Amino acid sequence: MILFPAIDLIGGKVVRLKQGKRSAMDIYGDDPLAQAQAFAQAGAAWVHVVDLSRAFGEDEESLAANQAAITAICQSGLLHVDAGGGVRTMADVQRLAGAGVSRIALGTPLVKDPAFAKAAAREFGDLLVADVAAKDGQVHVNGWREDVDLSLNQLVDELCSWGYKHLVYTDIARDGCSCGIDARAYEMLASRCGFPVVASGGIASLEDIQALCAMGDEVIEGIIVGRALYEGQVDLKEALELVQPATQTLEAGC
């Protein structure tokens, strides 16, 4: 099981959004590399990075600042990087892979461009992660701003048939709210997928992390924690102690 402390980026700044809303943003710093270094010093081996500027289609200056931050974190050799946000083409996948990213998340194309999503799974295999977000059982895309006529269960069934073996599920209603988890949702998804999933959204305490750990490695592959770390509700060192420390060992850079 992996603990992923999270860094969300807008214009090179470390931010957190509430329920994915650009208008509900808190800024926590302007040095993403320093934040990643702090996570590494606490004992983390992975970091989850989201390029929100790219997901929101923002200006080139913002995109360049975020890409520079992702590259710097990878080049530091301190952490494995799991990154996504606005990945729409093979060139986007190659850009992140070339920067040294260890896992690349695809979200919107899973729904909007299934031909690309299938081809990417065939070409890049285990490098890719299906990044699925839903609210009340309905899938949302385009930075969570657009709901689509597709249920969470329908999409997950398709992804598994395409060959995806890693899946992040975010409950939009809980994300950034530090309101606790819906453990049952992850159990149902893992059962449907046939492989463990990464939990994201709403983690508010060490008790939430304990509850996820109690489900075991067959249900939970990893846990993404964001706002709760920045707001001091979860201590990263204590969280890492819960999430099987041996699995957090970094073998060799990004």
Side-chain angles (χ1 to χ4, degrees):
M1 197 175 296
I2 302 168
L3 188 69
F4 297 91
I7 296 176
D8 287 358
L9 298 172
I10 287 184
K13 297 184 183 299
V14 179
V15 307
R16 296 300 295 175
L17 307 184
K18 184 173 289 186
Q19 297 181 347
K21 297 176 181 177
R22 181 67 167 81
S23 60
M25 180 177 75
D26 293 312
I27 299 174
Y28 290 96
D30 58 6
D31 191 341
L33 177 57
Q35 183 61 69
Q37 290 170 332
F39 289 155
Q41 288 170 1
W46 284 83
V47 63
H48 175 73
V49 183
V50 182
D51 186 342
L52 291 175
S53 293
R54 194 170 294 275
F56 290 140
E58 297 186 345
D59 60 86
E60 289 299 324
E61 184 178 355
S62 295
L63 300 185
N66 286 358
Q67 182 62 34
I70 292 169
T71 300
I73 293 169
C74 286
Q75 290 180 346
S76 74
L78 296 171
L79 296 157
H80 291 296
V81 178
D82 168 81
V87 179
R88 303 283 191 268
T89 66
M90 288 293 191
D92 289 331
V93 177
Q94 291 163 350
R95 168 176 50 80
L96 291 171
V101 171
S102 296
R103 284 189 181 185
I104 299 170
L106 268 65
T108 297
L110 302 173
V111 175
K112 295 290 189 176
D113 192 355
F116 160 60
K118 293 175 186 178
R122 289 194 298 269
E123 182 170 345
F124 292 97
D126 206 47
L127 180 67
L128 296 186
V129 179
D131 189 356
V132 178
K135 186 175 183 180
D136 299 325
Q138 287 299 117
V139 174
H140 285 233
V141 297
N142 284 327
W144 305 351
R145 293 166 294 177
E146 178 186 350
D147 63 333
V148 293
D149 186 21
L150 183 66
S151 74
L152 174 63
N153 287 342
Q154 287 175 304
L155 178 58
V156 167
D157 288 347
E158 290 182 355
L159 296 177
C160 294
S161 72
W162 298 348
Y164 283 85
K165 297 300 181 184
H166 300 289
L167 185 145
V168 174
Y169 170 58
T170 303
D171 184 340
I172 295 171
R174 296 172 182 271
D175 187 75
C177 296
S178 296
C179 55
I181 61 168
D182 179 3
R184 179 62 180 156
Y186 298 113
E187 291 175 342
M188 290 189 295
L189 279 177
S191 176
R192 199 171 195 97
C193 293
F195 56 82
V197 301
V198 177
S200 174
I203 294 165
S205 65
L206 287 174
E207 287 72 23
D208 288 333
I209 294 173
Q210 286 176 319
L212 290 167
C213 289
M215 295 182 199
D217 292 333
E218 293 184 355
V219 175
I220 302 296
E221 182 191 19
I223 303 168
I224 296 173
V225 188
R227 185 178 292 271
L229 292 175
Y230 294 101
E231 298 289 344
Q233 294 166 294
V234 170
D235 179 85
L236 182 54
K237 288 183 179 180
E238 292 179 355
L240 288 166
E241 289 174 358
L242 294 174
V243 186
Q244 300 182 2
T247 66
Q248 294 293 318
T249 301
L250 179 62
E251 293 182 359
C254 290

